[in-house]
């Protein structure tokens, strides 16, 4: 089945079955390995990407749902070769341990900051609740988001059409 979608600002045409999970299209067909497979049923958040500005679990989102839409992956957050402010904060706060959940964590945090540039700690905790970290770096995750929140470095929602 011929499908068309925009991934990280680039129009892509694919010949895949419409019920193929978006995750496998991103990883196997497009070579974007930053989005991870965690649980396979949309519960852990490791596979979180943005679809038309909203966070979705790509392991349980059929690619046909994304047809004609805009997908942003962790690779799409960096601009002009520069890490996104959240990626820099993740490094500065020493968030990654095994690193497996990090792309999904960052994508959820990016959506939060796109919709609420100055969230309170309770807002951050609520927004990140759906993302599991087996290493337990939750306090560092919150600190990283807080360090970016309200700053001029916060995620620009216009990059991927978020907040519209």
């Amino acid at each position: 089945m011929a499908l068309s979608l925009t991934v990280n600002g680039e129009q892509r045409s694919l010949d895949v079955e419409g019920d193929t999970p978006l995750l496998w299209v991103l990883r196997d067909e497009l070579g974007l390995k930053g989005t991870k497979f965690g649980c396979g049923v949309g519960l852990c958040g490791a596979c979180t990407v943005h679809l038309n500005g909203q966070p979705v679990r790509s392991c349980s989102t059929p690619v046909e749902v994304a047809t004609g839409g805009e997908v942003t992956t962790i690779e799409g957050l960096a601009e002009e070769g520069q890490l996104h402010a959240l990626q820099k904060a993740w490094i500065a706060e020493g968030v990654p341990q095994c690193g497996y959940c990090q792309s999904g964590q960052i994508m959820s945090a990016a959506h939060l900051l796109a919709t609420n540039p100055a969230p309170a700690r309770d807002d951050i905790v609520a927004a990140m609740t759906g993302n599991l970290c087996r290493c337990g770096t939750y306090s560092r995750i919150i600190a990283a988001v807080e360090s970016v929140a309200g700053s001029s470095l916060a995620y620009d929602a216009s990059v991927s059409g978020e907040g519209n």
Side-chain angles (χ1 to χ4, degrees):
M1 166 182 246
L3 302 171
S4 179
L5 62 150
T6 302
V7 179
N8 298 331
E10 184 179 333
Q11 184 68 33
R12 306 299 296 258
S13 295
L14 303 158
D15 187 18
V16 296
E17 293 299 318
D19 62 350
T20 304
L22 179 59
L23 171 67
W24 300 122
V25 171
L26 294 170
R27 291 183 58 81
D28 296 344
E29 300 295 324
L30 301 179
L32 297 170
K33 305 292 188 185
T35 304
K36 304 297 185 200
F37 174 82
C39 66
V41 292
L43 298 175
C44 74
C47 67
T48 302
V49 299
H50 297 175
L51 174 58
N52 298 323
Q54 297 299 310
V56 298
R57 304 300 201 234
S58 63
C59 73
S60 57
T61 302
V63 69
E64 65 191 352
V65 171
T67 300
E70 293 186 28
V71 176
T72 304
T73 68
I74 190 70
E75 292 91 346
L77 287 184
E79 290 184 34
E80 299 176 15
Q82 297 297 310
L83 291 177
H84 180 276
L86 281 167
Q87 292 167 312
K88 292 176 185 177
W90 243 244
I91 294 166
E93 294 294 335
V95 174
Q97 296 296 305
C98 79
Y100 205 79
C101 70
Q102 299 312 301
S103 63
Q105 297 273 2
I106 291 171
M107 295 306 291
S108 290
H111 178 263
L112 168 65
L113 294 178
T115 57
N116 181 358
R121 179 173 279 243
D122 288 345
D123 297 327
I124 296 169
V125 170
M128 302 305 292
T129 297
N131 291 80
L132 303 179
C133 174
R134 293 178 62 187
C135 300
T137 63
Y138 297 110
S139 61
R140 292 179 188 178
I141 291 167
I142 293 167
V145 176
E146 286 178 328
S147 75
V148 177
S151 76
S152 61
L153 300 174
Y155 183 55
D156 179 1
S158 67
V159 170
S160 65
E162 294 181 36
N164 294 333

